Amino acid sequence: MIEPGFSAEQIDTSKPHPARMYDYYLGGRDNYEVDREAAERVIAMAPEAPASARANRAFMRRAVRTVVRRGIRQIIDIGTGIPTSPNPHEVAREVAPDVRVAYVDNDPIVAAHADARLTNADGTGFALADVRDPKAILGHPVIQELIDFDQPVAVLLVAVLHFVKDEEDPAGILATLTGALPRGSHLVLTHGTTDFHQDAEGDAREVYKKAAAQLTLRGYDEFLPFFDGFELLDPGVVQVPLWRPEGSPPNAEDLRRIAFYGGVGVRE
């Protein structure tokens, strides 16, 4: 299920887009020269960017498995980005084959890939929408068709909120999105931070000022309140490799390369 009518003209290749830059960090090929050049400038200032992106993606997989094991059977993935297998519906269905997943992104190039990689299975859909308009997301026909708000839902905002500026009211956006969720719902968040790299050479935020979305990195005390109304699952808000790691826990050297916080909350 995908919103029809996307055209090549909707894809802006004149300036870098965070979703395509993230694809480049992950080693993907669904990006343009403008995205690669911007990503390389970020890496020059913040060499941890690719490792952070990979750790963030691994956190998503662990978080999805966790919420599905806790009984979640429907997921809204907002800011899904360029599809990179395994995608959330693939991860979720390793645990429970009946999980429904609605993908949301504001980049038409994501929509262009969604039909082949995200919505080619029953119980999945894609909506072209922006996190800054949460009411439009909740009321979108794809969301309304796939998601039953009388039953628990998991909302994923993985590496998204740092593209929402303070004046755009990220807390208010979350309040609108989560206000529709019943008890037993889960909130999965990650966020970029400078808490572990305050001595970095240069400021990657300068690169994103010329991109389709600017970067607002936040510290622990700014990120934690985004979970208001939710009870954090153990181990709370931590650097993403420390959230329920599989196998050996990460060492100090690995953690020095990671610039993301993550956590999962449940509405009791």
Side-chain angles (χ1 to χ4, degrees), residues 64-225:
V64 166
R65 284 194 289 267
T66 295
V67 301
V68 175
R69 287 170 182 150
R70 289 174 56 87
I72 291 294
R73 293 296 180 267
Q74 44 186 3
I75 295 171
I76 305 175
D77 181 20
I78 300 173
T80 188
I82 304 293
T84 303
S85 189
N87 294 291
H89 74 278
E90 296 166 322
V91 175
R93 290 175 181 180
E94 292 172 0
V95 180
D98 59 338
V99 177
R100 302 187 304 279
V101 180
Y103 293 100
V104 181
D105 204 281
N106 70 346
D107 186 2
I109 196 172
V110 177
H113 290 288
D115 191 35
R117 303 190 198 175
L118 298 178
T119 63
N120 58 350
D122 290 341
T124 62
F126 179 85
L128 185 67
D130 196 300
V131 68
R132 297 168 187 81
D133 191 354
K135 290 182 180 179
I137 291 175
L138 295 173
H140 195 284
V142 169
I143 303 296
Q144 290 293 309
E145 184 170 343
L146 275 176
I147 305 298
D148 176 3
F149 286 99
D150 291 328
Q151 300 297 321
V153 182
V155 172
L156 278 57
L157 289 138
V158 176
V160 173
L161 289 175
H162 49 238
F163 295 116
V164 179
K165 296 179 285 189
D166 290 339
E167 55 266 35
E168 293 171 323
D169 191 17
I173 289 169
L174 279 171
T176 299
L177 287 171
T178 61
L181 304 182
R183 291 179 60 183
S185 294
H186 290 62
L187 181 63
V188 178
L189 303 178
T190 69
H191 200 294
T193 184
T194 59
D195 280 2
F196 311 104
H197 302 90
Q198 295 179 356
D199 58 348
E201 294 292 332
D203 192 339
R205 286 170 287 196
E206 292 300 314
V207 177
Y208 281 93
K209 286 182 179 179
K210 299 178 181 178
Q214 296 184 24
L215 191 63
T216 301
L217 301 175
R218 297 181 174 96
Y220 179 90
D221 290 339
E222 297 169 289
F223 177 51
L224 184 62

Side-chain angles (χ1 to χ4, degrees), residues 25 47-57 240-241 254 257-260:
Y25 299 145
E48 70 277 0
S52 290
R54 291 191 295 270
N56 184 66
R57 190 76 182 174
V240 288
D254 290 337
R257 303 169 63 200
I258 307 304
F260 275 95

